[in-house]
């Protein structure tokens, strides 16, 4: 284990680690309005991703003063740079997916600690307290002026299967609907929704804890999806493996559920059976919030509701949030996607795929670039087999780009060079039409293409930008002399 890997156990230790670098974290004391302004600022500072330009890769940012709130800070963009994520995990950007893959294969289950030791319960607000109001306690941001309402964007939603008792953690968009109600949007098939439906079939509520402001290993681990983490796989055990120490849970104060013991904030509640609300019932904007493909999602007509029973938090809490289309999402969704692909291709084609990158313009979920090494004539064609495996490893993947071992998958300029000089559209493109992908891609719609029979179905496509094995001799990159630049510019290789 590297030093950095051991140093982080919660959000505060992650912040302390980033403070050791000069370019990873900035603070402001200028009072900010959580309604649209906070996200508006960070769009310029460090969102990047699929956000409309101007934006950039930049530091994480802490707003020390939130208008209308005392003693409440907001952190945004913690994971919105791959370099920063690598530092928080004590590894290199190129090795992140391999590290995640190993963690999934060697999970360490969470443990439960006594409530008196759980810092997330230093301050307790019960919904039965006079004047209880979610938005009086927590400055949930509204990300754009047309959002359906204020959203919690980085809540680790944790619940148990009512039949088996197995747990699942996932991040969902959570819109504050009233003083003690939050709506929860599920993309079809999500594991917490399976639990919710099982409870609903029995006419019961499903207790759920929402932990906000935790070790980033939990945030990234929570983004794994099946088949890598099938129903019943507690994704908290991935974070346990990443830190080589179990995630600590504690019993909630108001419901029969567990929360992450060192979270900054925990919202405790119950998903109510047979209750639905219109997501934008308070604003009628027709919109939900900015989603990772770079478009503001439509407000859903009927989403499940969490009745909040309590909010607990640490003293001087830090509410963590993200911009949906930022690189923060790319990293949280993309690195687990890379790890899932690596796991599957390594089982089927050992040693063939060298690395995988799910880059920012591909949202982390829709595009994967696979770097392969054709070792002999028999490897010709295996690159397309690797692409098919990638589609199986992650069902929401839409495009796979294949490049050779001399192309840097972490440099999209180099990938586009490969597409320019090692790709001919008519023979290098493989279409797999009519496959279900993801509903938030607006082009995956029958109005866009006659091959699409329903919203969320897409034409998966392989862009094979590898050189045919028999032609490799025609595709050698210019061979510059390997030299030690440090002789000319001392310290050059340390940058
Ligand atoms: Mn799951």
């Amino acid at each position: 284990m590297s030093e950095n890997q051991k140093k982080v156990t919660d959000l505060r230790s992650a912040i302390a680690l980033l403070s050791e670098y000069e370019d990873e974290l900035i603070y402001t004391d200028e009072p900010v309005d959580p309604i649209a302004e906070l996200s508006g600022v960070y769009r310029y500072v460090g969102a990047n991703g699929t956000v409309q330009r101007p934006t950039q890769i930049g530091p994480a940012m802490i707003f020390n003063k939130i208008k209308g709130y005392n003693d409440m800070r907001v952190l945004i963009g913690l994971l919105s740079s791959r370099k920063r994520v690598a530092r928080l995990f004590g590894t290199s950007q190129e090795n992140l997916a391999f590290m995640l893959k190993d963690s999934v294969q060697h999970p360490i289950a969470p443990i439960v600690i006594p409530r008196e030791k759980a810092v997330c319960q230093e301050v307790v607000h019960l919904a039965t307290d006079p004047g209880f109001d979610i938005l009086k306690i927590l400055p949930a941001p509204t990300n754009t002026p047309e959002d359906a309402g204020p959203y919690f964007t980085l809540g680790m939603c944790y619940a148990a299967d009512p039949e088996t008792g197995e747990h699942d953690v996932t991040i969902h968009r959570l819109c504050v609907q009233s003083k003690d109600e939050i709506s929860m949007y599920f993309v079809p098939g999500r594991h917490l929704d399976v639990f919710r439906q099982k409870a609903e079939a029995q006419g019961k509520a499903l207790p759920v804890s929402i932990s906000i402001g935790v070790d980033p290993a939990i945030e990234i681990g929570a983004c794994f999806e099946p088949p890598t983490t099938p129903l019943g796989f507690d994704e908290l055990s991935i974070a346990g493996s990443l830190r080589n120490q179990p995630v600590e849970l504690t019993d909630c104060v108001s419901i029969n559920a567990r929360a992450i013991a060192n979270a900054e904030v925990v919202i405790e509640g119950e998903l109510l059976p047979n209750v639905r609300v219109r997501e934008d019932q308070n604003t009628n904007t027709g919109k939900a919030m900015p989603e990772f493909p770079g478009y503001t999602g439509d407000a859903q007509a009927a989403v499940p509701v969490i009745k909040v029973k309590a909010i607990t938090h640490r003293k001087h809490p830090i509410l963590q949030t993200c911009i949906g289309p930022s690189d923060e999402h790319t990293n949280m969704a993309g690195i687990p996607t890379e790890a899932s692909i690596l796991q599957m291709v390594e089982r089927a084609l050992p040693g063939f795929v060298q690395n995988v990158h799910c880059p920012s313009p591909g949202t982390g979920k829709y595009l994967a670039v696979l770097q392969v090494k054709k070792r002999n004539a028999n490897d010709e064609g295996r690159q397309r087999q690797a692409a098919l495996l990638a589609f199986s490893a992650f069902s929401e993947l839409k495009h796979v780009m294949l490049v050779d071992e001399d192309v840097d998958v972490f440099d999209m300029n180099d990938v586009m060079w490969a597409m320019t000089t090692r790709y001919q559209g008519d023979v290098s493109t493989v279409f797999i039409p009519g496959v279900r992908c993801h509903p938030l891609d607006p082009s995956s719609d029958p109005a866009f293409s006659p091959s699409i029979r329903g919203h969320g179905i897409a034409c998966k496509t392989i862009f094979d930008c590898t050189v045919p094995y028999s032609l490799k001799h025609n595709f050698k990159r210019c061979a510059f002399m390997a030299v030690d630049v440090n002789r000319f510019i001392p310290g050059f290789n340390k940058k």
Side-chain angles (χ1 to χ4, degrees):
M1 296 254 302
S2 72
E3 272 308 301
N4 282 13
Q5 206 179 341
K6 280 182 282 187
K7 270 187 202 168
V8 178
T9 54
D10 63 356
L11 183 63
R12 294 189 191 193
S13 49
I15 289 170
L17 177 70
L18 294 183
S19 302
E20 295 175 15
Y21 300 92
E22 33 178 72
D23 55 350
E24 295 293 17
L25 182 64
I26 53 171
Y27 296 83
T28 179
D29 289 330
E30 176 69 18
V32 70
D33 193 334
I35 307 301
E37 191 178 43
L38 188 149
S39 290
V41 171
Y42 194 67
R43 170 261 180 101
Y44 295 108
V45 172
N48 206 52
T50 56
V51 170
Q52 186 174 18
R53 276 52 186 164
T55 183
Q56 63 177 10
I57 296 174
M61 189 165 183
I62 292 179
F63 291 85
N64 285 324
K65 294 195 175 131
I66 312 299
K67 284 182 186 169
Y69 296 84
N70 297 319
D71 195 33
M72 193 51 79
R73 291 168 285 167
V74 175
L75 164 67
I76 188 165
L78 181 70
L79 303 175
S80 66
S81 135
R82 192 175 177 110
K83 182 176 75 177
R84 186 153 62 244
V85 174
R87 285 171 164 173
L88 286 164
F89 286 70
T91 189
S92 66
Q93 297 183 53
E94 295 76 15
N95 191 53
L96 274 167
F98 291 94
M99 191 176 181
L100 265 278
K101 174 176 83 83
D102 291 344
S103 300
V104 173
Q105 288 168 337
H106 303 97
I108 295 178
I111 57 170
V112 181
I113 66 165
R115 281 180 46 194
E116 51 275 18
K117 287 189 179 163
V119 290
C120 72
Q121 294 175 1
E122 285 176 340
V123 180
V124 174
H125 306 265
L126 296 173
T128 51
D129 292 347
F132 178 89
D133 185 338
I134 298 164
L135 287 178
K136 282 189 182 148
I137 302 167
L138 300 174
T142 302
N143 288 281
T144 75
E146 61 179 5
D147 285 13
Y151 277 87
F152 297 107
T153 54
L154 272 178
M156 306 302 118
C157 305
Y158 194 59
D161 186 321
E163 290 171 2
T164 67
E166 292 166 328
H167 284 79
D168 194 272
V169 63
T170 328
I171 302 169
H172 296 277
R173 81 179 187 223
L174 302 166
C175 187
V176 180
Q177 296 293 350
S178 75
K179 64 180 175 51
D180 64 351
E181 287 171 317
I182 294 173
S183 64
M184 188 169 192
Y185 170 60
F186 293 103
V187 171
R190 294 284 190 252
H191 290 157
L192 279 192
D193 200 34
V194 174
F195 297 174
R196 186 196 62 76
Q197 288 173 22
K198 285 185 181 182
E200 190 168 66
Q202 300 169 11
K204 289 183 185 156
L206 181 77
V208 59
S209 70
I210 302 163
S211 301
I212 306 173
V214 297
D215 176 355
I218 296 173
E219 294 170 342
I220 289 197
C223 293
F224 273 97
E225 289 179 26
T228 310
T229 56
L231 187 66
F233 189 116
D234 184 345
E235 290 89 355
L236 288 179
S237 60
I238 300 169
S241 180
L242 276 167
R243 300 295 183 201
N244 199 27
Q245 88 181 42
V247 172
E248 293 181 343
L249 300 171
T250 198
D251 289 327
C252 290
V253 301
S254 66
I255 55 171
N256 180 21
R258 291 163 184 168
I260 296 164
N262 62 22
E264 292 292 324
V265 173
V266 175
I267 302 169
E268 302 179 1
E270 289 179 342
L271 272 158
L272 300 174
N274 306 310
V275 177
R276 303 288 186 273
V277 295
R278 183 160 55 86
E279 205 171 8
D280 63 338
Q281 61 175 340
N282 295 315
T283 54
N284 302 306
T285 62
K287 303 283 189 178
M289 58 166 271
E291 282 285 2
F292 67 87
Y295 302 91
T296 295
D298 289 336
Q300 295 290 309
V303 283
V305 175
I306 297 169
K307 191 80 173 171
V308 174
K309 302 291 185 182
I311 294 173
T312 74
H313 59 78
R314 293 179 75 157
K315 289 176 184 158
H316 316 297
I318 304 166
L319 185 72
Q320 192 185 351
T321 187
C322 74
I323 289 184
S326 70
D327 264 357
E328 184 140 33
H329 183 280
T330 306
N331 289 321
M332 287 196 299
I335 300 169
T337 302
E338 294 163 7
S340 300
I341 293 169
L342 281 175
Q343 187 183 49
M344 189 162 288
V345 296
E346 197 49 35
R347 276 183 195 165
L349 303 168
F352 182 66
V353 173
Q354 308 298 299
N355 213 328
V356 179
H357 183 211
C358 293
S360 178
T363 78
K365 286 184 174 226
Y366 294 170
L367 167 64
V369 186
L370 272 61
Q371 184 192 48
V372 304
K373 185 174 184 178
K374 296 178 188 172
R375 297 153 295 190
N376 52 56
N378 286 329
D379 275 345
E380 183 53 52
R382 287 199 211 285
Q383 74 280 10
R384 297 188 185 189
Q385 177 66 17
L388 294 173
L389 288 162
F391 287 133
S392 308
F394 188 66
S395 67
E396 294 164 6
L397 199 57
K398 182 183 178 193
H399 293 158
V400 171
M401 296 181 78
L402 298 162
V403 298
D404 291 301
E405 71 275 16
D406 58 349
V407 175
D408 182 353
V409 289
F410 295 97
D411 180 345
M412 287 310 286
N413 288 330
D414 213 30
V415 172
M416 291 312 292
W417 167 82
M419 192 174 191
T420 305
T421 66
R422 297 175 171 185
Y423 170 91
Q424 290 292 329
D426 60 340
V427 296
S428 309
T429 322
V430 182
F431 298 122
I432 312 168
V435 189
R436 187 158 290 284
C437 282
H438 195 268
L440 290 176
D441 168 8
S443 74
S444 294
D445 192 86
F448 200 94
S449 161
S451 84
I452 294 176
R453 300 189 69 123
H455 186 76
I457 292 174
C459 178
K460 292 186 190 260
T461 305
I462 301 168
F463 300 89
D464 187 349
C465 310
T466 64
V467 176
Y469 186 77
S470 59
L471 299 179
K472 278 224 163 198
H473 56 280
N474 291 336
F475 290 83
K476 291 210 168 24
R477 300 190 78 158
C478 311
F480 290 96
M481 180 187 286
V483 295
D484 178 11
V485 182
N486 289 300
R487 234 179 75 218
F488 303 86
I489 308 171
F492 182 83
N493 285 345
K494 285 192 187 139
K495 95 177 160 80

